[in-house]
Amino acid sequence: MPQDTPVTLAVIIGAHGVTGEVRLKVFTEDLGLYKTFNDGTLSLKSVRHGSNGMIARIAEVTDRNAAEALRGTELTVPRAALPPLGEGEYYHADLLGLAVVSSAGEAIGRVVAIDDFGAGDVLEIERDAVEGKPGKRFMVPMRVEAVPDWDDTRLVLDPAWVE
């Protein structure tokens, strides 16, 4: 993924209170590491845990109406702003859209979603379209037994896991 590609770290899901705070659905472990979003148009003043996600104060939002108007807004940073990865680690944004091939190099499809149901990440793979019909989807765990290798251009799937 190019380093200037925006990566979504949170989405504003509504207003909190009357002073302009917003409720967030967060996709990162520590949103507080980042101070500006959306090419510098939104500045994070504070963030805390709430009963329904995170609660944030954004400098440019000063009342409830402004907070409500931002509902659905994604908070993004450039890919280059993310911390470096350790061996075997990955960002979901880097896997989404990757071509999937078998260990023999045969084209299978693309990664279309990543879910975590509690036991680790599960990749949803959509097979390539056939005769104009969309390809079927199947899921595999993101474990070395199923996915022995991946890089920034493709993800290799062990044939035993191909539906």
Side-chain angles (χ1 to χ4, degrees):
M1 171 179 282
Q3 295 297 302
D4 61 344
T5 301
V7 175
T8 301
L9 298 183
V11 175
I12 297 174
I13 59 174
H16 178 79
V18 296
T19 61
E21 288 184 309
V22 294
R23 291 182 296 118
L24 301 174
K25 180 175 183 177
V26 179
F27 309 116
T28 183
E29 289 182 13
D30 189 358
L31 188 65
L33 293 175
Y34 307 92
K35 298 303 175 200
T36 62
F37 298 93
N38 302 19
D39 295 324
T41 60
L42 298 173
S43 307
L44 184 67
K45 289 177 74 174
S46 65
V47 63
R48 67 181 193 278
H49 290 282
S51 61
N52 185 18
M54 302 291 283
I55 308 296
R57 181 167 301 281
I58 297 175
E60 296 77 12
V61 181
T62 57
D63 62 39
R64 184 175 181 87
N65 291 338
E68 279 294 339
L70 290 177
R71 181 187 300 263
T73 299
E74 296 180 356
L75 301 182
T76 64
V77 298
R79 170 65 174 82
L82 301 177
L85 295 168
E87 182 67 30
E89 294 181 326
Y90 54 89
Y91 288 115
H92 287 191
D94 292 341
L95 298 181
L96 290 169
L98 273 185
V100 177
V101 298
S102 72
S103 53
E106 174 187 336
I108 295 171
R110 296 211 166 271
V111 177
V112 294
I114 303 169
D115 295 302
D116 185 347
F117 299 108
D121 288 340
V122 177
L123 305 177
E124 186 171 348
I125 298 169
E126 183 174 87
R127 287 189 162 276
D128 293 330
V130 177
E131 297 176 8
K133 295 181 182 178
K136 292 189 178 191
R137 293 183 177 196
F138 63 100
M139 300 176 109
V140 297
M142 185 58 177
R143 298 189 344 222
V144 70
E145 299 87 16
V147 182
D149 190 29
W150 74 89
D151 60 27
D152 59 347
T153 61
R154 53 94 181 111
L155 183 136
V156 177
L157 188 60
D158 185 284
W161 294 88
V162 177
E163 185 182 54

